[in-house]
Amino acid sequence: MILCANFKANKTRQETRAYMAVVESFVSANDISDTIIVFPPFTALDHDPRNVLIGVQNGYPVKNGAYTGEIALEQLEEFGIRTILIGHSERRHVIGETQEQIAHKFRFFAEQGFAIIYCVGEPLSVREEGHEALMGYIEKQFEGIDLSYPDLIIAYEPVWAIGTGLTPTNSDIESVHSALRSKTPAPLLYGGSVKVENAGEIMALENVDGVLVGSAALSANDFCEMIAQAVELNTEIGE
Ligand code: PGA
C-alpha cells in the first residue's frame, strides 16, 4: 500500500519535525514495508528522511530563474526532493492552474525522473451527471499526461469529497478505480475525506493501492493508525 499525508498550508517546520519523529519511529518499530510519503509545506522540506519519503506539494517547471514567489528544481534538489504532487484539486480550482500548465509541469518533472502523484477528480455537478460524464471529465485531466510514465501514481480525489467529510460509496470508488485501471498500470490512490474510521475499508477495495490523506493525516497518531490498518490488510491478503 501507499499512504500519503498532504499537509497543504498547515504545520510549521518545528511541528513537521515532531510529526516526522512520531511517524518514522512507528514505521521502523513495526518494520513497515508500505510506502509512506509526507508532503509538508516548502518551509519544512529540510528533513533527513529515514524510512518515510518527503515529497513536495508543488514546484515550478524550470531549473531556476526570474519567477517571483515560485520554487524551482534547483531549490528542490538541495533538499533531495524526488517526489511531487501534480494536478491537486486545490491547485486546479483554487489557484486556477490550467490543464495545459499542469501537463507542462508533468512533462518537466517526468523528464527529471521525479515520482509523480498525479491527482484527478470531478466536481459534484459532474458526478451527478453519471459515470460516463465523470470519466469523460477525468479523461480531459489526462490530456498531455503520459499514463505509462514508470514513476507515476494516480490519486482519484473527487473535488466534492476533499475536506468535506463526504466520500463516495465504496462501489462508486471501485467503479472509478476499475475504469482507471484499464487506462494505466500506475498504482491508484483514493483521496477525499479519508480518516481512521474509513481508511481500512477503502484500502481493501478492488484496485485501490493506497490513500492520499489531508486533514485526518495532520494528526501523526491518526496517520500511524491508518498505516497500521494497511499492514493488517497486507497480512490478510498474505503479502
Ligand atoms: P482531505 O484532503 O483528506 O482533507 O479531504 C485530501 C487531499 O486534498 O488530498
Side-chain angles (χ1 to χ4, degrees), residues 6 8 88 90 157 161-164 191-194 212-216:
N6 176 13
K8 311 189 180 186
H88 189 278
E90 282 144 20
E157 299 201 298
I162 296 178
T164 57
S193 294
V194 175
L212 172 53
V213 193
S215 17

Side-chain angles (χ1 to χ4, degrees), residues 4-8 37-46 53-61 70-88 91 105 108-109 114-119 212:
C4 303
N6 176 13
F7 287 3
K8 311 189 180 186
I37 315 176
V38 174
F39 295 88
F42 289 136
T43 52
L45 291 176
D46 65 335
L53 284 167
I54 296 278
V56 70
Q57 296 171 25
N58 185 35
Y60 202 66
E70 297 292 342
I71 284 206
L73 181 65
E74 196 171 83
Q75 291 85 43
L76 297 177
E77 280 179 335
E78 186 181 24
F79 292 117
I81 301 297
R82 303 292 304 154
T83 306
I84 188 167
L85 209 55
I86 295 181
H88 189 278
R91 299 227 44 101
K105 194 182 292 192
F108 178 84
F109 284 101
F114 272 55
I116 298 176
I117 288 84
Y118 185 72
C119 307
L212 172 53

Side-chain angles (χ1 to χ4, degrees), residues 159-180:
V159 179
W160 54 273
I162 296 178
T164 57
L166 303 170
T167 46
T169 63
N170 289 344
S171 74
D172 283 342
I173 296 174
E174 274 183 334
S175 79
V176 174
H177 277 236
S178 88
L180 292 173

